[in-house]
């Protein structure tokens, strides 16, 4: 079965750049688009990247996404980190029939 | 303005049935998939399944197939998630989310419904 694996947590200082990875197993990361969602405590998720590397309107260009087929991994990169970026981040894709979420990564900005 | 407004928190006993709702407005309800996502407190997001209200085509994650029923009522632009017999392990926040018509993005989310199952 198709599984997306993320690191449990990452941390970085304000103003720096951080990359969160999402590694696929049981299928190819490039077969279906990857989305990334941000979830702040007590709130519903919001999409920050769709179709691997597209930003929804209103999402700053500090957020970017990429795919590396050689490592079967999608990545979310956030540059110029702000304390407001502190949240849980989830990758999402599909096995062709069903949608799948990664386990989530807690980003600490400190 | 697109909105998804979910029904309020529920407290139920094991074995009871439950149906929670997601009222959509601000767009043509029959033209977008609506999905349900579970989040056990302190844990990650789990995709449960979705429905296309236009023709009631419904898909379920294998993990939730047979455990819940997803439905929609076009006349009142509302999607539903229901259980026939709740378990304590169903305690979670449940979100509905609209899928964008042209991309795989879930672009609008409900506020979440907390379901607590306890004897």
């Amino acid at each position: 079965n198709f599984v997306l694996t993320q690191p449990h947590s990452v941390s970085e200082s304000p103003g720096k750049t951080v990359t969160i990875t999402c590694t696929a197993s049981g299928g190819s990361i490039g077969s279906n688009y990857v989305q990334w969602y941000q979830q702040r405590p007590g709130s519903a998720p919001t999409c920050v990247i769709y179709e691997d590397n597209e930003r929804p309107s209103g999402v700053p260009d500090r957020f970017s996404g990429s795919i590396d087929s050689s490592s079967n991994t999608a990545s979310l990169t956030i540059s110029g980190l702000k304390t407001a970026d502190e949240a849980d981040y989830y990758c999402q894709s599909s096995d062709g029939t069903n949608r799948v979420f990664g386990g989530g990564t807690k980003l600490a900005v400190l | 303005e697109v909105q998804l407004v979910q029904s309020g928190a529920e407290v139920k006993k094991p074995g009871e049935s439950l149906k929670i709702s997601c009222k959509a407005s601000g767009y043509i309800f029959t033209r977008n998939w609506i999905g349900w996502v579970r989040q056990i407190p302190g844990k990650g997001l789990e995709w449960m399944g979705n429905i296309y209200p236009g023709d009631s085509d419904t898909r379920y994650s294998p993990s939730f197939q047979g455990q819940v029923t997803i439905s929609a009522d076009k006349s009142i632009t509302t999607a539903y998630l229901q259980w026939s017999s709740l378990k304590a392990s169903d305690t979670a926040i449940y979100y509905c989310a609209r899928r964008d018509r042209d991309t795989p993005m879930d672009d609008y989310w409900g506020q979440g419904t907390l379901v607590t199952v306890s004897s």
Side-chain angles (χ1 to χ4, degrees), chain A residues 37 39 43 45 90 92 98-99, chain B residues 39 47 60 95 104 106 109:
Chain A
Y37 295 87
Q39 186 181 33
S43 297
Y90 296 89
Q92 178 204 59
N98 297 297
R99 316 194 89 187
Chain B
Q39 187 168 39
W47 187 80
Y60 293 94
Y95 293 101
D106 291 321
W109 293 66

Side-chain angles (χ1 to χ4, degrees), chain A residues 1-2 95 97-101, chain B residues 35-38 45-51 58-68 70 81:
Chain A
N1 58 331
F2 188 64
D95 64 4
T97 302
N98 297 297
R99 316 194 89 187
V100 176
F101 283 101
Chain B
W36 288 94
V37 175
R38 183 175 81 173
L45 305 175
E46 299 172 271
W47 187 80
M48 302 176 71
N50 58 6
I51 187 166
T58 308
R59 317 279 172 86
Y60 293 94
S61 162
S63 300
F64 292 95
Q65 179 84 49
Q67 308 304 308
V68 296
I70 294 170
L81 178 65

Side-chain angles (χ1 to χ4, degrees), chain B residues 41-101:
Chain B
K43 302 296 185 184
L45 305 175
E46 299 172 271
W47 187 80
M48 302 176 71
N50 58 6
I51 187 166
Y52 188 73
D55 60 8
S56 296
D57 186 10
T58 308
R59 317 279 172 86
Y60 293 94
S61 162
S63 300
F64 292 95
Q65 179 84 49
Q67 308 304 308
V68 296
T69 301
I70 294 170
S71 60
D73 186 334
K74 291 187 287 190
S75 68
I76 55 171
T77 66
T78 299
Y80 299 97
L81 178 65
Q82 69 180 92
W83 296 259
S84 58
S85 181
L86 286 159
K87 311 180 195 59
S89 57
D90 293 317
T91 295
I93 298 172
Y94 294 87
Y95 293 101
C96 62
R98 187 190 86 154
R99 177 172 169 168
D100 180 63
R101 282 195 70 193

Side-chain angles (χ1 to χ4, degrees), chain A residues 34-93:
Chain A
V34 175
Q35 284 62 242
W36 289 90
Y37 295 87
Q38 177 192 69
Q39 186 181 33
R40 295 192 173 100
S43 297
T46 60
C47 186
V48 292
I49 293 289
Y50 69 97
E51 288 184 342
D52 299 341
N53 55 19
E54 299 292 330
R55 280 187 312 278
S57 61
V59 174
D61 60 6
R62 301 186 297 106
F63 290 80
S64 63
S66 63
I67 297 290
D68 181 351
S69 297
S70 66
S71 61
N72 221 22
T73 297
S75 297
L76 171 70
T77 298
I78 310 171
S79 60
L81 276 169
K82 302 178 185 296
T83 55
D85 297 329
E86 192 160 282
D88 294 327
Y89 290 85
Y90 296 89
C91 58
Q92 178 204 59
S93 188

Side-chain angles (χ1 to χ4, degrees), chain B residues 1 3 5 10 13 27 30 38-40 45 56 72-73 75 78 82 88 97 106 118-119:
Chain B
E1 177 197 6
Q3 285 192 306
V5 179
E10 301 272 4
K13 291 181 168 33
Y27 71 99
T30 53
R38 183 175 81 173
Q39 187 168 39
I40 294 170
L45 305 175
S56 296
D73 186 334
S75 68
T78 299
Q82 69 180 92
D106 291 321
S118 173
S119 53

